Amino acid sequence: MKKILIMDTTLRDGEKIPGAKLNINEQLKIAYQLQKMKVDIIETSFPSLSHNDLEITKAIAQKVGTKTTISVPSRAIRRDIDEVYNCIKNSYDPIIHIVLGSSDLYDGKNKEQIFMQNIDAIKYAKSILPKVQYSFTDASRQDFESLWGKIKLVVEAGANIINIPDTVSVMVPDEYGEMINKINYRLKNLDKDIILSVHCHNDLGLATANSLIAIKNGADKIECTINGIGERAGNTALEEVAMAIKLHKKYYNAYTNIATNEISNTSKLVSYLMGIDIQVNKPITGSNAFAHYSNLRMTEITNSENTYEIIHPEDIGIENSELVLTSRSGESAFKKGLAKIGFDKFSNKEFKNLFKNFLELANKKKEIYSYDLLYLIEKNLEENSEQGNEFLKFKNKLYELIDIEVVSNILFSRATVKIRKKDSVYKGEGVGNGPVDAVYTAIRDVIKINIELREYKIKSVSKGKEALGKVAIQVNYNGKEYTAKAVDTDVVRASAYAFVNAINSVIIGKETSETV
Ligand code: MN
């Protein structure tokens, strides 16, 4: 039976979703969880894109790359390759992934010339690192024989992994399977140790089907993301291919290393940290995937669990009983609750801070569910992030919301706010079309800054009538966009906190750009 390698690219291709940018601590949490779920390879973002991406790649390579293979993408440029080398030189069995940027494809340069630059880059990468992957961006739209000619050159240059993406989702399963079959046959005759990798996009809802048919036709490795996230309609969903291969082991004569009982925790963590909801009917990880509403079916399920469920909730780590915590739950119960959703590694300081925040929340909101615990984790990551440190540095220049009061009737709302800056407290008043509008007018009454609200999103984080409300907003100041979010049991308060946070981000942004 053949082992199929699973490469998770949630942190690179998945993160391309607008508004889903993660900070270094959030990326590390996800990388640790991917390691726990036993993915074979974790792909990071391009270190050469920004200083921030470089720091993130270094951190993941140092902390998670000691035990799990890290694949780091690089443009076909020596300077980028050297940078990747410096990130992963001490990691366990690392991979450098040379990708032709799609901009290179369309910049009018001679295609052959660009390709020969790629060959040089592969040779150079191979001279300093043993494992090199090369991705043929947009392979599915190229003429087959000319693609094969290039594959041969890439293998001769030393690449060990050949990736064949269906970048823009143009293939149906039969076509893609046939193409992979032909490439696999020739590739294994050329060198049987070369790994054939596939990377599919889901514009027609075919990413999982295309990846599976590729396995049937000889592919050795699948590139995928948690919850299938990614640009446009997303990538192949890791949980779907992993469960399909597990359920049809005999048909594919293959298996993966994925610890499927970590799927649910991983899916929730990624969804929460990126702020992207999972469609309720999403296969495997949607909240309705295991819910049975019909009474008729209910009786049958009670009689025989196998009637309608081909997968049991436990297979992906959903437990029947949720641990509900209250303010009387002690440290050990809290620890147990965190472990249940996948978090069991904390420094003492981190845990103390989490427990303090937990007690505060439990006093406001009587029952604490697993989603509330994810909120506490996120809050903790934020407080320890660069942005959290920035906030401390500029503390004396920033505003803090102390109190709000809102009265609404059917025609309008009136709000008063109390806001502190350094040692002074200011009072503002405003009326508006609804409570949030009134509060924002009152905040502007105190803080006279010319910012424009561009987007306002509100959603509930957990369940129950005292559920937390999460407000995410986007504002524009001088042509630059700033985002901010806040969570509270009261959605009007959450809205107010988010607005003040956004104003503080503008102030920090102004300070940092002026001093640099
Ligand atoms: Mn892609």
Side-chain angles (χ1 to χ4, degrees):
M1 204 173 270
K2 177 173 163 183
K3 180 183 164 181
I4 303 300
L5 295 168
I6 297 290
M7 181 180 105
D8 178 275
T9 183
T10 303
L11 301 178
R12 179 184 71 80
D13 228 9
E15 216 215 10
K16 280 183 191 165
I17 300 183
K21 200 91 189 116
L22 299 168
N23 70 35
I24 187 165
N25 292 319
E26 293 168 334
Q27 289 230 11
L28 266 172
K29 272 281 181 258
I30 292 177
Y32 275 126
Q33 180 58 30
L34 292 170
Q35 180 171 59
K36 203 169 170 193
M37 195 174 63
K38 299 199 167 109
V39 304
D40 299 287
I41 305 158
I42 297 172
E43 182 156 65
T44 68
S45 54
F46 277 86
S48 53
L49 281 188
S50 72
H51 178 70
N52 195 31
D53 287 291
L54 176 65
E55 291 304 313
I56 289 174
T57 306
K58 272 189 195 156
I60 293 176
Q62 270 166 23
K63 297 188 172 159
V64 186
T66 47
K67 279 189 276 177
T68 301
T69 291
I70 305 293
S71 174
V72 181
S74 168
R75 292 175 300 183
I77 304 170
R78 277 194 181 214
R79 183 168 39 88
D80 284 17
I81 295 170
D82 287 336
E83 206 149 52
V84 171
Y85 173 75
N86 283 324
C87 290
I88 56 177
K89 61 184 174 199
N90 298 320
S91 301
Y92 161 78
D93 200 23
I95 296 170
I96 177 166
H97 178 189
I98 295 181
V99 195
L100 179 65
S102 50
S103 57
D104 295 335
L105 282 174
Y106 307 114
D107 76 349
K109 249 200 241 169
N110 182 333
K111 278 186 189 161
E112 294 310 307
Q113 202 185 326
I114 295 169
F115 183 69
M116 290 324 287
Q117 277 172 18
N118 282 265
I119 293 291
D120 284 344
I122 294 166
K123 284 181 183 157
Y124 179 64
K126 184 73 185 185
S127 73
I128 50 176
L129 281 161
K131 272 199 181 159
V132 179
Q133 165 165 333
Y134 185 77
S135 276
F136 285 87
T137 305
D138 217 8
S140 49
R141 285 200 295 187
Q142 293 174 36
D143 166 69
F144 186 82
E145 289 307 328
S146 86
L147 174 66
W148 173 250
K150 285 179 191 160
I151 292 175
K152 255 183 8 193
L153 290 174
V154 165
V155 170
E156 278 161 20
N160 327 61
I161 306 169
I162 299 295
N163 186 37
I164 306 292
D166 184 18
T167 309
V168 289
S169 251
V170 294
M171 289 215 146
V172 293
D174 285 342
E175 272 179 299
Y176 193 60
E178 201 186 307
M179 177 169 89
I180 294 299
N181 191 298
K182 261 157 80 180
I183 294 174
N184 181 56
Y185 180 77
R186 294 190 193 181
L187 194 61
K188 299 291 154 72
N189 275 326
L190 197 66
D191 181 343
K192 64 172 179 36
D193 293 327
I194 304 289
I195 292 169
L196 178 55
S197 164
V198 292
H199 177 116
C200 300
H201 278 270
N202 204 30
D203 298 57
L204 291 172
L206 294 172
T208 297
N210 279 343
S211 302
L212 289 172
I213 203 155
I215 293 303
K216 191 75 184 158
N217 283 284
D220 309 293
K221 165 172 171 276
I222 294 178
E223 301 194 350
C224 44
T225 62
I226 303 299
N227 300 328
I229 58 164
E231 57 185 333
R232 308 191 313 272
N235 292 58
T236 306
L238 184 148
E239 63 278 7
E240 293 174 20
V241 284
M243 289 311 291
I245 294 172
K246 188 177 176 176
L247 255 73
H248 300 283
K249 235 181 346 218
K250 272 195 200 138
Y251 178 77
Y252 291 108
N253 193 25
Y255 68 97
T256 74
N257 211 23
I258 297 296
T260 59
N261 60 356
E262 288 294 335
I263 284 177
S264 176
N265 281 339
T266 315
S267 159
K268 284 184 184 143
L269 179 69
V270 169
S271 156
Y272 197 94
L273 292 182
M274 287 193 168
I276 292 181
D277 288 333
I278 306 166
Q279 179 191 335
V280 292
N281 60 325
K282 162 90 184 54
I284 318 292
T285 54
S287 58
N288 285 357
F290 296 103
H292 300 275
Y293 287 114
S294 148
N295 283 337
L296 188 115
R297 280 172 51 184
M298 219 36 233
T299 3
E300 287 185 49
I301 287 156
T302 335
N303 293 340
S304 156
E305 260 191 35
N306 288 320
T307 320
Y308 282 101
E309 286 186 342
I310 57 163
I311 305 169
H312 297 291
E314 309 86 78
D315 295 341
I316 64 158
I318 297 176
E319 289 180 44
N320 288 328
S321 57
E322 182 166 26
L323 195 63
V324 181
L325 299 166
T326 68
S327 59
R328 286 182 304 278
S329 309
E331 285 195 11
S332 74
F334 179 57
K335 221 172 224 170
K336 214 172 132 192
L338 289 172
K340 225 171 161 179
I341 58 162
F343 296 96
D344 43 19
K345 262 188 269 157
F346 295 105
S347 69
N348 271 344
K349 196 180 144 214
E350 219 179 343
F351 182 76
K352 272 212 179 97
N353 194 34
L354 272 167
F355 191 65
K356 191 186 104 217
N357 288 340
F358 160 72
L359 289 179
E360 260 171 40
L361 183 63
N363 281 327
K364 268 200 227 169
K365 182 179 183 299
K366 279 161 212 123
E367 293 181 328
I368 303 288
Y369 297 92
S370 58
Y371 269 98
D372 300 319
L373 296 180
L374 277 173
Y375 155 68
L376 290 173
I377 299 266
E378 189 197 31
K379 189 174 171 202
N380 203 44
L381 290 175
E382 247 163 42
E383 284 170 356
N384 292 313
S385 72
E386 258 174 60
Q387 205 194 13
N389 292 334
E390 293 275 292
F391 269 81
L392 281 183
K393 222 163 60 194
F394 295 106
K395 213 176 169 216
N396 285 336
K397 296 193 161 132
L398 303 180
Y399 294 95
E400 188 194 345
L401 183 73
I402 307 173
D403 201 7
I404 57 172
E405 208 178 298
V406 188
V407 183
S408 280
N409 62 37
I410 205 155
L411 293 173
F412 63 88
S413 301
R414 185 192 300 277
T416 54
V417 295
K418 270 191 209 159
I419 291 172
R420 177 165 38 215
K421 184 183 172 185
K422 218 178 160 188
D423 302 320
S424 316
V425 174
Y426 305 91
K427 210 169 155 187
E429 285 179 351
V431 284
N433 183 12
V436 173
D437 192 34
V439 167
Y440 282 14
T441 312
I443 293 172
R444 283 178 202 269
D445 187 35
V446 175
I447 312 170
K448 299 211 164 27
I449 188 166
N450 190 21
I451 65 170
E452 189 196 334
L453 183 67
R454 283 280 168 92
E455 223 181 278
Y456 173 92
K457 269 198 286 192
I458 185 165
K459 70 174 188 186
S460 87
V461 169
S462 61
K463 46 190 169 185
K465 72 175 166 51
E466 279 161 294
L468 291 171
K470 186 175 189 176
V471 172
I473 63 171
Q474 199 178 356
V475 300
N476 185 290
Y477 175 79
N478 264 352
K480 244 185 109 183
E481 304 285 327
Y482 296 83
T483 54
K485 53 191 171 185
V487 175
D488 200 282
T489 43
D490 177 325
V491 291
V492 179
R493 276 202 300 254
S495 306
Y497 285 129
F499 198 55
V500 173
N501 286 344
I503 292 171
N504 285 335
S505 297
V506 171
I507 291 166
I508 289 173
K510 264 168 64 183
E511 287 290 326
T512 43
S513 57
E514 270 162 21
T515 47
V516 171

